[in-house]
């Protein structure tokens, strides 16, 4: 039976997507996991994979066309199957932003589990009756949205509303921890919060019931909850009654007043309350949100606060973080601690396992004499507005080398190899929960000081869990540096969709032969991990030769 694929919500602010490219055409066979299309959102161009096998029978728009969230994107089924009714029906359950008439039930969204919807809610529909209910067609229902391209479930970090509270469009409902960041979830409609399907700390699968907002006299909450229990598996506490949800963290009270010098309102865990747009503008301008006064509800920072912000003197000191250590185990007694696997760690495990066991890795290691790089860095930092690190120099050298060796800047797509003409380099950053890879875009066009400043900001955002999808998407090559830990050399697992990753070791002073004499040299070992489906040994070695030449004569990077 043919199934409809709707335009999914691929970012928390996405309302429509533009088809950047189709990778299948009508009549082509499609397998689960095949790349269907590339969709340009408001934040990035993202790949859309098929969740089922069959034949592509219909596409909703050609390359360059725009589709609203939940518009008909494609139909996959059996050749010869009558799909006229599906085409006529169009998008099932269009996005809340579109005030269209109700449509038939939605098919599962690409890359999600086989569940009805990939988006928060659906348009107006008749009040739900008892029995089987398609939650995607119930206007009062908000489902757990997919807030990142790899998200399968979210953890409720905090509720900002409690059952019984009035909710307006744009109000902050909850903070949701995904596999990559903690993101804000805003309401798209007005009403009373009638039910919360998960408590703070609970895990909620994408498309499971998150909450119900509406007019209590017109909504059968019990029927909706019963339907949710029979549909996608809700979080462990999803069977809680509405009144139990009152224990969830309510919105901040009005006890904090806002003045021109008042600090920004913060949540219980110390995060600053600000709208997504305000966060983006502040990030672009390099403004510390904790220094901005909020004029929105309960001191929340909004766009005009960022526009009107005048920097003040920074605080002279900050309290040192308390050191923590594991408790000592009693002598002669087995002792251990088990901690839940975080969303980030789950995705790291899944993606790296897929990379390691699907991409045939091979490794090329080279010694690089960093004598001139050491000397050049000292001179550059005398004039650079941002302190340049050796990692920044390696990144810049990689960007130049990638332009000369495009095979290393490529991706394996199954039936084709994508050779990227742009250079977007991911920088692996260790955080408490695992690893994040913010991306320096168009690195070949940026100066060393620009790269240094950008990497510093991105690394801090990663540690503060403030990275957004636009910060980590689109890498074409990745570097991972353990040199600061004294690691001489190591091999790294390729970061999909890249074909290669460079592992950078420490710079060590060792004896080297120069002009027939044994002298002390600054040697750094680097190891290139390559996907043998894309890159051959000679190509990987040639790339390292170019990289070596650039780092051993740093002035060549500036001309």
């Amino acid at each position: 039976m043919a199934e409809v694929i709707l335009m999914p919500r691929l970012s928390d602010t996405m309302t429509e997507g533009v088809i950047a490219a189709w990778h299948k055409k009508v009549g082509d066979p499609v397998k689960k996991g095949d790349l269907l299309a590339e969709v340009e959102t408001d934040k990035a161009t993202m790949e859309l994979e098929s969740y089922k096998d069959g034949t592509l029978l219909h596409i909703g728009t050609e390359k360059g066309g725009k589709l609203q969230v939940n518009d008909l994107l494609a139909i996959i089924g059996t050749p010869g199957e009558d799909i006229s009714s599906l085409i006529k029906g169009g998008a099932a359950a269009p996005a809340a932003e579109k005030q269209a008439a109700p449509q038939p039930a939605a098919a599962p969204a690409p890359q999600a589990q086989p569940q009805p919807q990939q988006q928060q809610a659906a348009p107006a529909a008749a009040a739900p009756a008892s029995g089987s209910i398609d939650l995607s067609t119930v206007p009062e229902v908000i489902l757990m949205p997919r807030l990142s391209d790899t998200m399968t479930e979210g953890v409720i970090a905090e509720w900002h509303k409690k059952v019984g509270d009035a909710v307006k469009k744009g109000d902050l409902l909850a903070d949701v921890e995904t596999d990559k960041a903690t993101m804000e979830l805003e309401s798209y409609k007005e009403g009373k919060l009638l039910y919360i399907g998960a408590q703070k700390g609970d895990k909620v699968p994408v498309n499971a019931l998150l909450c119900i907002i509406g007019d209590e006299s017109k909504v059968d909450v019990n029927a909706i909850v019963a339907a949710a229990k029979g549909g996608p598996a809700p979080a462990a506490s999803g069977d809680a009654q509405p009144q139990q949800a009152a224990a969830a963290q309510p919105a901040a009270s009005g006890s904090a007043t806002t003045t021109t010098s008042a600090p920004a309102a913060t949540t219980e865990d110390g995060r600053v309350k600000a709208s997504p747009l305000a966060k983006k503008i502040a990030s672009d301008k390099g403004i510390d949100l904790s220094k901005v006064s909020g004029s929105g509800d309960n001191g929340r920072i909004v766009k005009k606060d960022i526009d009107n912000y005048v920097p003040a003197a920074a605080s002279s000191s900050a309290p040192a973080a308390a050191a923590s250590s594991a408790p000592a185990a009693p002598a002669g007694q087995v002792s251990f601690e088990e901690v839940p696997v975080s969303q980030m760690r789950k995705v790291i495990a899944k993606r790296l396992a897929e990379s390691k066991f699907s991409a045939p890795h091979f490794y090329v290691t080279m010694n690089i004499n960093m004598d001139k790089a050491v000397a050049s860095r000292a001179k550059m930092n005398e004039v650079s507005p941002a302190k340049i690190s050796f990692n920044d120099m390696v990144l810049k050298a990689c960007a130049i080398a990638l332009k000369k060796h495009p095979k290393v800047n490529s991706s394996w797509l199954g039936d084709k190899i994508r050779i990227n003409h742009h250079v977007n380099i991911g920088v692996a950053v260790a955080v408490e929960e695992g690893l994040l890879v913010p991306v320096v875009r168009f690195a070949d066009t940026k100066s060393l000081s620009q790269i240094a400043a950008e990497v510093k900001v991105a690394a801090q955002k990663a540690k503060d869990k403030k990275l957004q999808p636009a910060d980590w998407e689109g890498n074409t090559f990745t570097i991972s540096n353990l040199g600061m830990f004294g690691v001489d050399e190591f091999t790294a697992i390729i970061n999909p969709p890249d074909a290669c990753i460079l592992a950078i070791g420490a710079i060590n002073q060792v004896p080297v032969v120069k002009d027939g004499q044994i002298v002390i040299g600054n040697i750094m070992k680097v190891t290139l991990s390559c996907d043998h489906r894309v890159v051959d040994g000679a190509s990987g070695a040639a790339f390292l030769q170019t990289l070596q030449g650039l780092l051993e004569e740093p002035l060549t990077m500036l001309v």
Side-chain angles (χ1 to χ4, degrees):
M1 179 179 178
E3 291 197 45
V4 169
I5 293 178
L6 306 179
M7 172 63 76
R9 181 185 294 272
L10 296 173
S11 81
D12 55 323
T13 57
M14 175 182 171
T15 58
E16 65 180 12
V18 177
I19 303 300
W22 280 103
H23 291 270
K24 298 288 183 180
K25 62 181 183 294
V26 172
D28 282 354
V30 177
K31 294 181 180 179
K32 183 178 179 180
D34 280 359
L35 182 60
L36 282 178
E38 294 176 50
V39 178
E40 181 184 343
T41 73
D42 56 325
K43 292 183 176 177
T45 298
M46 304 176 69
E47 295 180 342
L48 206 60
E49 296 180 357
S50 174
Y51 66 90
K52 65 163 292 179
D53 296 337
T55 299
L56 184 58
L57 305 178
H58 177 79
I59 59 175
T61 187
E62 298 294 337
K63 177 181 177 181
K66 290 183 180 179
L67 291 175
Q68 299 293 308
V69 168
N70 284 348
D71 273 352
L72 175 61
L73 179 66
I75 300 175
I76 296 176
T78 305
E81 193 171 354
D82 183 8
I83 59 172
S84 57
S85 61
L86 297 177
I87 296 175
K88 184 178 180 181
E97 293 86 349
K98 295 172 58 188
Q99 300 179 355
Q103 303 289 345
Q111 299 184 4
Q113 300 297 322
Q115 297 168 358
Q117 183 82 338
Q118 182 172 313
Q119 121 99 4
Q120 291 166 298
S130 59
S132 177
I133 300 174
D134 180 0
L135 297 183
S136 67
T137 64
V138 180
E140 293 82 9
V141 165
I142 290 183
L143 305 179
M144 173 60 78
R146 182 187 299 272
L147 297 175
S148 82
D149 55 324
T150 55
M151 175 181 170
T152 59
E153 63 185 7
V155 175
I156 303 299
E158 182 177 4
W159 280 103
H160 294 275
K161 297 288 184 180
K162 64 181 183 295
V163 169
D165 282 354
V167 178
K168 295 181 179 179
K169 184 176 180 181
D171 278 359
L172 183 60
L173 284 177
D175 294 334
V176 178
E177 179 188 344
T178 73
D179 54 309
K180 293 179 176 176
T182 298
M183 305 178 72
E184 295 180 339
L185 191 64
E186 296 184 358
S187 175
Y188 69 92
K189 66 166 298 178
E190 299 186 358
K192 180 185 286 187
L193 183 56
L194 304 176
Y195 177 84
I196 288 175
Q199 303 301 313
K200 180 178 178 179
D202 287 342
K203 296 178 181 178
V204 185
V206 168
N207 293 332
L209 177 62
L210 187 60
C211 64
I212 301 173
I213 297 175
D215 183 342
E216 56 190 339
S217 65
K218 299 179 182 179
V219 181
D220 188 343
V221 172
N222 292 332
I224 294 174
V225 174
K229 292 179 181 179
S237 62
D239 57 354
Q241 294 302 315
Q243 59 268 28
Q244 291 177 305
Q249 184 67 26
S253 67
S255 58
T257 58
T258 303
T259 67
T260 55
S261 60
T266 59
T267 62
E268 224 176 31
D269 59 2
R271 292 190 304 106
V272 176
K273 293 181 180 180
S275 71
L277 179 58
K279 286 183 177 180
K280 183 178 187 305
I281 297 173
S283 174
D284 292 342
K285 293 183 175 181
I287 295 174
D288 183 353
L289 284 173
S290 65
K291 304 294 192 299
V292 181
S293 301
S295 62
D297 293 340
N298 302 314
R300 192 168 185 236
I301 298 170
V302 294
K303 178 179 180 293
K304 69 177 182 180
D305 300 322
I306 303 297
D307 292 339
N308 298 331
Y309 173 68
V310 178
S315 175
S316 59
S317 63
S324 61
S325 59
Q333 181 177 330
V334 175
S335 177
F336 59 84
E337 178 184 6
E338 293 181 347
V339 295
V341 178
S342 68
Q343 301 300 100
M344 183 184 298
R345 179 57 64 185
K346 282 183 180 179
V347 174
I348 289 172
K350 179 176 181 290
R351 285 172 61 84
L352 293 186
E354 289 175 350
S355 173
K356 182 67 175 177
F357 297 113
S358 64
H361 286 53
F362 76 89
Y363 310 96
V364 184
T365 300
M366 181 173 283
N367 290 339
I368 299 178
N369 190 313
M370 297 289 285
D371 285 349
K372 292 186 178 180
V374 171
S376 297
R377 174 176 174 262
K379 292 180 179 179
M380 285 188 286
N381 278 331
E382 292 177 0
V383 295
S384 174
K387 186 176 181 180
I388 297 169
S389 69
F390 290 114
N391 195 68
D392 301 326
M393 297 179 73
V394 174
L395 191 154
K396 177 63 175 178
C398 284
I400 296 171
L402 288 170
K403 295 295 287 185
K404 296 180 179 180
H405 302 276
K407 286 185 179 179
V408 180
N409 195 43
S410 301
S411 303
W412 175 261
L413 300 181
D415 58 346
K416 62 177 70 70
I417 295 173
R418 174 178 297 163
I419 300 175
N420 298 297
H421 298 150
H422 59 288
V423 176
N424 290 351
I425 298 182
V427 181
V429 177
V431 294
E432 185 176 350
E433 296 85 356
L435 193 71
L436 288 173
V437 187
V439 177
V440 178
R441 303 182 186 282
F442 311 109
D444 56 310
T445 67
K446 294 179 178 177
S447 68
L448 274 166
S449 58
Q450 287 176 312
I451 289 172
E454 190 169 330
V455 169
K456 183 178 180 181
V457 171
Q460 190 59 52
K461 288 173 68 176
K463 289 179 169 59
D464 294 341
K465 296 189 71 174
K466 293 181 179 179
L467 288 177
Q468 297 299 307
D471 297 318
W472 66 66
E473 294 164 350
N475 49 288
T476 62
F477 184 84
T478 302
I479 62 174
S480 179
N481 191 344
L482 293 180
M484 67 284 294
F485 298 106
V487 175
D488 291 333
E489 63 176 307
F490 67 103
T491 58
I493 299 175
I494 295 168
N495 179 33
D498 302 347
C500 297
I501 182 171
L502 184 72
I504 306 165
I507 299 175
N508 292 316
Q509 289 192 330
V510 298
V512 298
V513 177
K514 185 174 182 181
D515 298 328
Q517 301 293 321
I518 297 178
V519 297
I520 300 300
N522 294 284
I523 302 300
M524 178 179 73
K525 286 187 178 181
V526 296
T527 299
L528 185 69
S529 303
C530 304
D531 183 344
H532 217 327
R533 297 172 300 181
V534 182
V535 178
D536 297 323
S539 299
F543 169 81
L544 285 186
Q545 279 187 324
T546 301
L547 181 69
Q548 181 187 47
L550 290 165
L551 289 172
E552 292 187 349
E553 290 289 349
L555 287 178
T556 58
M557 290 192 286
L558 307 178
V559 295

